[in-house]
Amino acid sequence: METKDKIQQMLDAYPAKTMKNRRKHIFIKDSLQGEQHIEADTRTVPGTMTNRGCCYAGCKGVVLGPLKDMVHVVHGPIGCSYYTWGTRRNKADADDDGKNFINYIFSTDMQESDIVFGGEPKLEKACMEAYEIFKPNAMTISSTCPVGLIGDDVHAVARRVQEKTGMTTFAVSCEGYKGVSQSAGHHIANNKLMTEVIGKGEKEVEGKFKVNILGEYNIGGDGWEIGRILDKIGYTVISVMTGDGSYETLKNANQADLNLIQCHRSINYIAEMIETKYGAPWMKVNFIGVESTVQSLRDMAKYFGDEELAEKTEEVIKEELKEIKDVIAEYREQCKGKTAFLFVGGSRAHHYQNLLAEIGIETVAAGYEFGHRDDYEGRKVIPTIKTNADNKNIESITVEKDEKNYKVYLSPEKYEELKKEIPLGEYKGMISDMKDGSIVIDDLNHYETEAIVEMLKPDLFCSGIKDKYIAHKMGIFAKQLHSYDYSGPYAGFKGAVIFAKDVSAGLNTPTWGYITPPWKISPVLEGELGGEGTC
């Protein structure tokens, strides 16, 4: 049975309405068909056991939470706070002021009485208590579902706390039910950082070739490895949004000459707003994989157009490759011929295909938890994406040119010239890099996970904690790419070696020989006995 027939068989198990919905979210890559479209960023069908998170998770858990010198107060039940307490393994070191609160979680622990009588007094008291104890540089207040339902005015509380303390305090209305996934929370957090933080700094950042790294959350130390390489070449990293990032550095992000986007989905909003207001353009980079890292570094050097910087870039690349070349070759020998199925949020399902290919592993299926069509098909489709009711309840802000702080590194003519050579303001999406015959799927659910794993029988399944053990029980090695299973970093040159080592160890352990997959127990052929002569 061909793959397309197996996919149809998988979909046939659904009720007709659900089958019609899910069919739009999956296809087989075929270049001969020209442009292929996928439906994304739409509501999950209730009951299908999605892997998605909520708006609050995207706002507080992904974007705001890693800012280390801020206290992030969650107004809601304790379970919401627990859900975003260190589960993504964002690492951070304190700056000179010694303030690093990333290991703490702050919650108002709402009870029934707070729901009935309102929780604003409790919230204000909690914020003041946190301020008195920790003296953070700034504070955020995140709303959860019940807060939106009962109408607590978290923004009014934030204003009162700021008046009393003199500390920047702002609230985010990121109730979990908003939008269709955590992507809505990313957008809300981007808006708030733009209006409340970026451009508020008064300190002039010194250094040449000033950049911001956007959409890098320092999972397992990825940001530190990227920073090591950039520092070695001679770049000045003003701020990281938001892994190991801080309120103090983020205030000066408007001074960068170039913004580097690692995770396109979670941070592209703020990159566009910075370009409009302050002039610095953004460029899509990928520091996952050896060749991708090399290409990104060369693209950066080409943007700045400095001969000395270009020479230093090549020198560093040569040094780094020399150190890892033989080790990577050894792991490639151990992993070659294997296949992988990727289902990860952000841009990881795209980024890791390159790194897997470098160690001999072919990606046979991939998809995003909360991707939009442009994450799959590229930004060229943005004008054709229709706004729906779920998108409309996410505030869209407009920024204007800041005449005082606006500056550009490139002339308009040079910018247009470079756009033809490097990904300035451009992202081609995941599909463009996938092979014909591979499966592209959006918002994968648990039933489809089991069906596709059984269908393709990949050697490696890369996803998150919610479905990791489904694959393990099916006798297939699963690697978490949301938190790296307590390993990392996986970015940059040294990170590629660590990833290759972890994957090789997981694939080649004898453990899987002791597990019998369900398809080896269930009959291959199924039928019914009947008719004349039946006993």
Side-chain angles (χ1 to χ4, degrees):
M1 187 184 295
E2 293 187 8
T3 303
K4 65 178 182 179
D5 297 319
K6 291 180 180 179
I7 290 175
Q8 186 57 53
Q9 187 180 61
M10 174 185 77
L11 295 173
D12 284 340
Y14 287 123
K17 188 176 180 180
T18 303
M19 180 181 70
K20 183 180 179 182
N21 176 293
R22 290 303 299 156
R23 184 180 284 158
K24 299 174 185 177
H25 294 258
I26 181 170
F27 67 79
I28 299 171
K29 169 77 180 287
D30 183 359
S31 300
L32 296 177
Q33 291 188 29
E35 290 187 358
Q36 290 178 284
H37 302 297
I38 192 167
E39 190 159 301
D41 191 38
T42 57
R43 291 186 183 185
T44 296
V45 177
T48 54
M49 294 287 286
T50 179
N51 286 303
R52 285 174 167 177
C54 67
C55 176
Y56 157 78
C59 182
K60 193 274 175 185
V62 175
V63 180
L64 297 179
L67 292 167
K68 59 193 176 185
D69 61 345
M70 302 176 73
V71 160
H72 305 285
V73 178
V74 177
H75 189 33
I78 195 64
C80 298
S81 299
Y82 187 81
Y83 180 63
T84 58
W85 186 16
T87 51
R88 281 173 52 81
R89 297 185 63 244
N90 308 101
K91 292 182 176 292
D93 280 338
D95 291 331
D96 294 340
D97 61 9
K99 296 179 181 180
N100 181 5
F101 311 116
I102 198 166
N103 291 325
Y104 293 93
I105 191 73
F106 301 86
S107 173
T108 54
D109 186 22
M110 290 184 78
Q111 302 296 314
E112 288 183 8
S113 59
D114 302 312
I115 301 297
V116 175
F117 299 107
E120 288 183 31
K122 188 175 189 179
L123 172 61
E124 187 170 341
K125 182 179 179 182
C127 291
M128 292 304 300
E129 184 178 321
Y131 171 76
E132 292 297 335
I133 295 172
F134 296 97
K135 295 295 191 296
N137 292 333
M139 183 179 291
T140 69
I141 300 171
S142 297
S143 296
T144 56
C145 290
V147 175
L149 295 174
I150 66 174
D152 274 357
D153 191 343
V154 293
H155 301 279
V157 173
R159 288 192 294 270
R160 290 197 295 270
V161 171
Q162 181 163 321
E163 288 171 4
K164 291 179 180 179
T165 63
M167 168 189 64
T168 297
T169 306
F170 59 90
V172 279
S173 297
C174 55
E175 296 84 359
Y177 53 73
K178 284 187 175 178
V180 299
S181 71
Q182 53 265 63
S183 176
H186 302 152
H187 197 164
I188 292 169
N190 276 226
N191 289 345
K192 276 295 182 180
L193 290 179
M194 191 67 198
T195 59
E196 304 294 336
V197 182
I198 294 173
K200 306 296 184 183
E202 298 178 354
K203 177 184 176 182
E204 183 70 28
V205 178
E206 298 180 357
K208 294 177 67 178
F209 316 121
K210 293 182 280 192
V211 300
N212 295 315
I213 305 175
L214 280 60
E216 169 49 52
Y217 301 104
N218 206 29
I219 308 297
D222 277 352
W224 291 337
E225 174 59 12
I226 296 168
R228 179 190 70 82
I229 298 168
L230 298 186
D231 181 66
K232 191 175 179 180
I233 293 172
Y235 289 100
T236 301
V237 178
I238 295 179
S239 70
V240 181
M241 299 183 201
T242 53
D244 194 33
S246 69
Y247 169 76
E248 291 300 323
T249 57
L250 202 55
K251 288 192 299 184
N252 299 308
N254 59 295
Q255 298 180 40
D257 300 312
L258 176 65
N259 290 304
L260 310 174
I261 288 189
Q262 177 75 354
C263 174
H264 173 263
R265 181 69 274 135
S266 65
I267 213 79
N268 70 92
Y269 317 97
I270 210 166
E272 292 179 332
M273 289 188 283
I274 290 177
E275 183 169 7
T276 299
K277 188 171 183 177
Y278 298 111
W282 63 270
M283 182 173 75
K284 183 70 182 76
V285 295
N286 178 14
F287 291 110
I288 301 295
V290 177
E291 289 303 319
S292 297
T293 299
V294 169
Q295 187 60 54
S296 293
L297 293 175
R298 286 174 174 161
D299 288 345
M300 291 171 63
K302 186 169 288 189
Y303 171 84
F304 284 100
D306 183 271
E307 187 176 337
E308 186 178 334
L309 178 69
E311 290 177 359
K312 185 63 177 179
T313 297
E314 294 302 324
E315 178 186 319
V316 169
I317 289 172
K318 186 176 180 180
E319 288 177 6
E320 297 288 335
L321 290 179
K322 182 180 180 181
E323 188 175 335
I324 68 169
K325 183 179 178 181
D326 293 341
V327 186
I328 288 287
E330 181 181 335
Y331 288 124
R332 185 187 305 116
E333 191 64 29
Q334 296 171 11
C335 298
K336 67 180 180 180
K338 304 293 186 181
T339 59
F341 174 15
L342 307 181
F343 185 70
V344 200
S347 302
R348 293 174 190 268
H350 184 186
H351 291 166
Y352 276 88
Q353 291 186 44
N354 303 320
L355 179 50
L356 287 167
E358 289 171 353
I359 57 174
I361 299 175
E362 179 184 353
T363 300
V364 293
Y368 294 127
E369 272 185 36
F370 48 82
H372 296 199
R373 278 186 58 203
D374 47 310
D375 297 302
Y376 290 99
E377 303 172 50
R379 292 181 63 87
K380 65 181 183 293
V381 303
I382 290 178
T384 69
I385 298 176
K386 296 179 181 179
T387 301
N388 56 40
D390 292 305
N391 301 136
K392 287 179 180 178
N393 68 11
I394 307 302
E395 180 187 14
S396 181
I397 65 172
T398 302
V399 297
E400 297 180 352
K401 181 178 179 180
D402 183 330
E403 296 292 348
K404 180 182 178 181
N405 297 302
Y406 190 91
K407 65 172 185 174
V408 291
Y409 190 85
L410 301 175
S411 67
E413 295 76 20
K414 186 63 176 178
Y415 178 85
E416 291 301 323
E417 179 187 328
L418 283 177
K419 277 189 73 174
K420 300 173 184 177
E421 302 176 31
I422 59 178
L424 272 175
E426 182 56 75
Y427 176 47
K428 293 183 178 180
M430 180 179 75
I431 295 172
S432 63
D433 285 344
M434 294 186 71
K435 291 184 177 180
D436 281 359
S438 53
I439 295 174
V440 181
I441 185 166
D442 176 68
D443 190 21
L444 180 78
N445 59 54
H446 280 215
Y447 158 67
E448 292 166 353
T449 300
E450 292 185 28
I452 294 178
V453 166
E454 182 172 351
M455 181 193 310
L456 302 178
K457 299 178 178 58
D459 301 287
L460 171 65
F461 178 54
C462 295
S463 188
I465 190 64
K466 296 174 185 174
D467 41 10
K468 169 181 177 176
Y469 297 103
I470 294 175
H472 278 189
K473 290 173 182 177
M474 299 174 86
I476 290 172
F477 173 50
K479 184 69 189 165
Q480 273 203 79
L481 289 186
H482 291 288
S483 64
Y484 297 174
D485 289 311
Y486 309 104
S487 187
Y490 288 161
F493 300 103
K494 293 184 178 180
V497 173
I498 297 171
F499 179 79
K501 176 184 177 182
D502 289 350
V503 168
S504 176
L507 289 173
N508 294 296
T509 176
T511 304
W512 312 119
Y514 295 97
I515 300 174
T516 304
W519 54 81
K520 290 188 177 182
I521 300 173
S522 304
V524 176
L525 297 174
E526 295 182 355
E528 294 181 0
L529 292 173
E532 291 185 24
T534 302
C535 297

